[in-house]
Amino acid sequence: VISVAHCEPPVEGLVAWFPGDSPYIELVSGRAFDAQTTIGPGRIGNAYYFKNSDGFGIFPDTNSLDLTRLTMEAWIQMDNYPPFGTADWLIVEKELARDIENYGFFVHRTGQTSMELHLQWFNKGYSSVFSIGSGLKPRIPYHVAVTADSHNVRFYVNGLLINTEPQQRPFTVDN
């Protein structure tokens, strides 16, 4: 007998939620988004399937995503390691481009058989912080999260704090 677990209800202050159970609908605002992905079985209910670096989702810009503090989290499972010398694999991103408030959460290949989590943002120049000792491997599901509070960036894997790094520059808000 297989029992199906359910997600906890959304927490207060949640600004966006993209569960795979609602095809291409963000549940907090009810707005649709474009995606180059498919939907299939996940750890809890359905999930979005991104084909390594080829899949993505695009959500229309909204003021609710102009943040100075944030928490981003996702369930991920990679088929293999990101190729050396290419862009990191995207977990979630808001407009990673120059001259606008933006941020992105990625998986970064650090060695022959090692990967780390990566938070990057733009504020008068790009800033990056990497996890240390995440232990990410292909073909294993992980719950990953990053928090940034203008002082520190914290990385989590499967609910455990992996490491804390100083946040050298704060996020900025679009004008």
Side-chain angles (χ1 to χ4, degrees):
V1 176
I2 298 174
S3 63
V4 176
H6 297 284
C7 289
E8 294 293 321
V11 297
E12 186 176 332
L14 186 70
V15 296
W17 187 13
F18 301 90
D21 293 332
S22 297
Y24 313 115
I25 301 291
E26 188 280 313
L27 293 186
V28 174
S29 70
R31 294 172 60 180
F33 65 98
D34 295 327
Q36 296 296 317
T37 182
T38 58
I39 295 175
R43 283 226 8 126
I44 299 173
N46 288 329
Y48 298 114
Y49 282 73
F50 296 90
K51 181 67 175 153
N52 296 328
S53 63
D54 297 334
F56 61 88
I58 300 173
F59 184 72
D61 190 22
T62 176
N63 289 342
S64 67
L65 298 177
D66 292 343
L67 305 171
T68 57
R69 299 167 26 137
L70 62 80
T71 298
M72 294 184 282
E73 62 179 306
W75 281 97
I76 63 170
Q77 179 175 328
M78 298 151 295
D79 292 335
N80 50 40
Y81 294 95
F84 279 117
T86 63
D88 293 348
W89 281 352
L90 173 66
I91 299 171
V92 64
E93 171 183 80
K94 184 209 181 246
E95 298 182 41
L96 207 48
R98 293 186 176 276
D99 301 327
I100 57 173
E101 184 261 346
N102 58 75
Y103 43 84
F105 187 28
F106 306 89
V107 173
H108 176 76
R109 186 171 187 169
T110 56
Q112 190 64 28
T113 59
S114 60
M115 296 180 279
E116 293 295 341
L117 299 171
H118 175 205
L119 176 66
Q120 183 179 52
W121 67 99
F122 186 85
N123 176 355
K124 300 178 183 159
Y126 284 105
S127 296
S128 287
V129 178
F130 295 88
S131 65
I132 300 170
S134 69
L136 299 176
K137 301 287 182 201
R139 296 174 290 287
I140 299 172
Y142 297 99
H143 182 257
V144 297
V146 61
T147 66
D149 63 11
S150 294
H151 302 289
N152 292 297
V153 174
R154 293 175 179 86
F155 293 98
Y156 298 84
V157 175
N158 295 333
L160 300 175
L161 176 64
I162 301 303
N163 71 300
T164 301
E165 297 290 328
Q167 184 176 344
Q168 300 297 332
R169 291 184 184 156
F171 294 117
T172 59
V173 178
D174 289 339
N175 293 324

